Amino acid sequence: MPTVHTPKLQQPKTDPHLQSAGERTRAAAEELERLGIADREGKRIRTELPSDMREGTDRDFGG
């Protein structure tokens, strides 16, 4: 079987989706900060669980 030689790229290809992905990530981070879920560094602010998720709570999963 013959060996296929593929040429190396002289310049790396650019990802056409990279810029829009960064914009969506920044928008999501701003939304979490606006809602008070995360701070500027991305750490969670709220750590308490909702009342229906706490241990010992009578839950109804609707099934």
Side-chain angles (χ1 to χ4, degrees):
M1 179 172 268
T3 305
V4 177
H5 295 283
T6 56
K8 297 228 181 221
L9 291 175
Q10 298 299 321
Q11 291 183 344
K13 292 183 179 180
T14 57
D15 185 357
H17 305 288
L18 184 62
Q19 183 177 0
S20 60
E23 291 170 0
R24 288 191 307 273
T25 303
R26 281 188 290 280
E30 289 172 1
E31 178 73 8
L32 290 174
E33 189 176 346
R34 185 183 69 76
L35 293 172
I37 297 172
D39 63 6
R40 190 63 127 161
E41 287 79 36
K43 297 188 178 174
R44 288 184 59 190
I45 294 174
R46 295 182 181 174
T47 56
E48 71 273 358
L49 289 173
S51 61
D52 63 337
M53 294 180 69
R54 293 186 184 139
E55 191 68 33
T57 305
D58 185 25
R59 302 182 226 0
D60 180 19
F61 293 108

